[in-house]
Amino acid sequence: MNGYGSFCLRFNKVFIYLCSMLCNVDLSFLKSTLDDYHLLFNNKSFIERDPISIPHNFTIKEDIEISAFLISTIAWGNRTSIVANGKKLMELMDFSPYDFIVNHQPADLKIFDSFVHRTFNSCDIQFFITSLQNIYKHFGGLEEAFLSGFQNGNAFDGITSFRNKFLSLDHLIRVEKHISSPEKKSACKRLNMFLRWMVRKDNCGVDFGIWSSISPSKLICPLDVHVARVARQLGLLERSQNDRLAAEELTNNLSYFCPEDPVKYDFALFGAGVNGLV
């Protein structure tokens, strides 16, 4: 067995042990284990098969954040399909998403007529492109559109602030389901994942950390099925529904281990879950 496999097996046994001892778990040991899993998965090898690989093709801030926002929007289902459709979106925008967003004319949107990813189809992406243009022309860009909400609270407040701006143009009701609402108790998994990408900054090379005006301490952990399952097995989450309250509960508990950057443990929980280690 190679070093990576041996490492995974060793920590898999640790996690199984912890899962059997939930009522008496040693918090210092749990923190040490989470830190080790964070380091195992928070590295550049994580990028290749993940949707975050799409924005990693760019170097300009606006290109990164726009491509990240769009790929996170369609980030449900098979990851291979998500990445393939993310690449298609970038191709349709000539691999210059910011330039396309701010300079496109209504007639240019016809190139998206055949685009579809699960329930996200041409009319959805056409509105998203139009609304993003409005965000950059009238609200100072994506970071500014989220910022006012963060100044008054956490990521859920930032999402609510952004959502109100994003949906301020005339739109079909159907597009609203693609911008989750904290006010409707949604965990907003994809938007919180996007915010993690933009805000968190370390030396591991996965998250971008290009939004310096927002503190990582205000982020909310993206609550997908893998994260939720592992978190419950480790006693980090009691709520049975995967909703806003569950995301807040999990983030508050992770804050005990790293109050300045609790969402870094998303790597540990997601990585252990999706790789079948727990």
Side-chain angles (χ1 to χ4, degrees), residues 117-264:
H117 176 81
R118 298 175 71 92
T119 64
F120 188 84
N121 64 26
S122 58
C123 65
D124 299 314
I125 185 59
Q126 286 164 348
F127 173 76
F128 268 58
I129 297 296
T130 301
S131 186
L132 282 171
Q133 185 182 71
N134 186 54
I135 290 290
Y136 279 92
K137 287 189 173 182
H138 298 108
F139 293 102
L142 276 168
E143 182 176 3
E144 287 296 319
F146 280 93
L147 181 58
S148 61
F150 271 97
Q151 291 172 335
N152 297 321
N154 62 19
F156 282 128
D157 300 290
I159 291 170
T160 298
S161 173
F162 166 75
R163 190 175 191 271
N164 290 337
K165 298 178 180 72
F166 192 79
L167 296 174
S168 62
L169 299 179
D170 289 340
H171 60 274
L172 297 173
I173 294 298
R174 61 162 288 121
V175 306
E176 296 185 7
K177 67 182 179 182
H178 298 298
I179 300 290
S180 300
S181 172
E183 295 178 325
K184 294 181 179 179
K185 310 304 181 185
S186 172
C188 302
K189 186 266 291 187
R190 287 171 287 164
L191 283 166
N192 279 314
M193 180 179 69
F194 165 69
L195 289 170
R196 193 205 84 199
W197 294 352
M198 296 298 98
V199 174
R200 283 200 70 255
K201 187 172 185 177
D202 54 29
N203 296 318
C204 298
V206 182
D207 292 332
F208 293 93
I210 56 176
W211 288 7
S212 59
S213 60
I214 297 171
S215 170
S217 66
K218 293 189 173 185
L219 295 176
I220 295 291
C221 190
L223 190 69
D224 81 338
V225 292
H226 302 291
V227 170
R229 177 177 61 81
V230 174
R232 290 188 179 100
Q233 289 179 337
L234 296 180
L236 293 168
L237 177 61
E238 293 185 359
R239 186 169 175 80
S240 59
Q241 296 173 268
N242 289 348
D243 58 6
R244 173 178 177 167
L245 291 177
E248 290 178 322
E249 177 191 341
L250 174 59
T251 305
N252 287 338
N253 287 335
L254 294 175
S255 295
Y256 178 85
F257 304 115
C258 187
E260 69 277 10
D261 186 17
V263 175
K264 76 176 189 178

Side-chain angles (χ1 to χ4, degrees), residues 4 41 43-54 56 71 75 77-84 87 197 206 270-271 274-276:
Y4 176 84
F41 295 109
N43 58 70
K44 291 184 178 180
S45 66
F46 179 89
I47 297 172
E48 183 179 357
R49 294 180 297 168
D50 192 79
I52 201 172
S53 62
I54 300 298
H56 269 285
I71 191 66
N78 180 275
R79 283 203 288 174
T80 300
S81 176
I82 295 166
V83 172
K87 290 178 179 177
W197 294 352
V206 182
F270 177 79
V274 78
N275 287 286

